[in-house]
Amino acid sequence: MATIIEISSLTAPGVALFSTLTEAQLRNKMEPQKGIFIAESPKVIQVALNAGYTPVALLCERRHIEGDAKAIIAQCGEIPVYTGDRGLLEQLTGYTLTRGVLCAMRRPTERSASELLNSLTSAHRQQRIVVIDGVVDTTNIGAIFRSAAALNIDAVLLTRNSCDPLNRRAVRVSMGSVFLVPWTWLDNYAILHDLGFKTAAMALTDNSVSIDDASVAAEERLAIIMGTEGDGLPQKTIEEADYVVRIPMAHGVDSLNVAAAAAVAFWQLRAKE
């Protein structure tokens, strides 16, 4: 059973997880197996719990103990639940809590890209994954994951210069979708070809083809590569891709926000099945 701990000051022991620690400190890069991330709002926390993530501590407004957080507290077992009035918790976190609940959770053990891709057991005849290369905006990361979950993308790989999907805002924007789609970090594009994936770089070039090109749609294992918000993909990545693809545009518009482009691309990649 959870231990309810009333806090009356910002220096109460145990609450640093939710206030003073930076995202980098929560990740604990020296010992990733001990890393923590923060999930926010009852709905998102519930998705994480259902996906098997391990809770460490909860922080919630007093009024939610028997309200929105009641079922979550019962499910979390013997962990501390820090609570206080709304004004105090706003000072502690720096903003109004979404539905009054935060949960600190253990980060999962990091898997290699090859391990993740070899473990895929897609119900689809074709496998479709996305590579996120250098996307640093937390909102875009969350939105890409939400579209990936909704449109049956089998896995997400991210280059190390991309935003952490377990960043608090990315988790919230994804509505917990980061817990539903297998993901890990990609250190070398060569692994994709080694495992039989063809790559399709999204870029506006003279030789790019439409995202609905028949040859692209026919590939059994395909990795669609999305670039950073500003400069797009590195030239080397574009040149080494098996395909360069674009979304047909109208009215003189040359591109979409990366999150919007991801949703369109994911829909098209699954529409031909």
Side-chain angles (χ1 to χ4, degrees):
M1 184 174 180
T3 302
I4 308 299
I5 302 173
E6 289 275 348
I7 59 173
S8 57
S9 78
L10 305 184
T11 59
V15 298
L17 281 175
F18 303 100
S19 58
T20 60
L21 297 185
T22 65
E23 290 285 346
Q25 289 170 327
L26 287 170
R27 286 181 66 174
N28 199 348
K29 292 184 178 180
M30 296 302 292
E31 297 181 89
Q33 69 275 15
K34 295 182 180 180
I36 298 292
F37 69 92
I38 304 297
E40 182 178 347
S41 88
K43 185 173 183 178
V44 171
I45 295 167
Q46 189 64 64
V47 174
L49 292 174
N50 292 346
Y53 284 75
T54 303
V56 174
L58 281 163
L59 175 70
C60 67
E61 292 179 36
R62 187 182 295 107
R63 66 191 179 95
H64 290 306
I65 295 291
E66 293 296 326
D68 288 345
K70 185 175 182 179
I72 290 170
I73 292 172
Q75 189 174 347
C76 283
E78 297 181 0
I79 66 170
V81 178
Y82 301 101
T83 188
D85 60 40
R86 183 172 186 173
L88 176 65
L89 298 190
E90 284 183 15
Q91 293 178 55
L92 185 66
T93 61
Y95 56 89
T96 302
L97 300 185
T98 303
R99 301 299 295 274
V101 188
L102 295 178
C103 185
M105 311 189 91
R106 291 283 179 204
R107 296 182 68 91
T109 301
E110 184 177 314
R111 292 190 287 175
S112 68
S114 59
E115 180 184 2
L116 184 151
L117 295 177
N118 280 323
S119 72
L120 293 181
T121 55
S122 174
H124 307 281
R125 180 184 64 82
Q126 297 172 308
Q127 287 186 339
R128 298 290 183 257
I129 68 171
V130 60
V131 177
I132 299 174
D133 190 323
V135 176
V136 297
D137 183 88
T138 55
T139 299
N140 284 335
I141 290 290
I144 292 170
F145 266 87
R146 193 168 183 180
S147 292
L151 298 170
N152 284 322
I153 295 300
D154 296 297
V156 178
L157 302 180
L158 304 98
T159 58
R160 297 281 179 176
N161 60 338
S162 296
C163 170
D164 177 18
L166 295 182
N167 171 282
R168 184 183 302 186
R169 181 169 177 80
V171 170
R172 184 169 73 248
V173 171
S174 81
M175 289 302 295
S177 294
V178 295
F179 310 128
L180 303 178
V181 184
W183 67 270
T184 194
W185 302 101
L186 178 67
D187 295 310
N188 190 335
Y189 274 101
I191 191 65
L192 297 175
H193 288 118
D194 291 345
L195 294 177
F197 280 87
K198 295 294 186 179
T199 55
M202 293 199 71
L204 295 174
T205 69
D206 292 339
N207 66 335
S208 60
V209 299
S210 175
I211 188 71
D212 63 357
D213 183 89
S215 58
V216 177
E219 296 291 352
E220 291 200 11
R221 306 190 94 189
L222 184 70
I224 187 81
I225 309 174
M226 317 286 301
T228 185
E229 296 89 341
D231 298 328
L233 290 170
Q235 187 60 36
K236 183 174 184 290
T237 301
I238 296 172
E239 292 173 353
E240 294 180 352
D242 297 292
Y243 302 98
V244 182
V245 298
R246 67 180 184 275
I247 296 170
M249 309 294 285
H251 301 295
V253 178
D254 65 357
S255 64
L256 295 172
N257 165 272
V258 65
V264 173
F266 299 164
W267 168 258
Q268 184 59 51
L269 291 174
R270 285 304 189 193
K272 294 294 179 122
E273 293 189 338

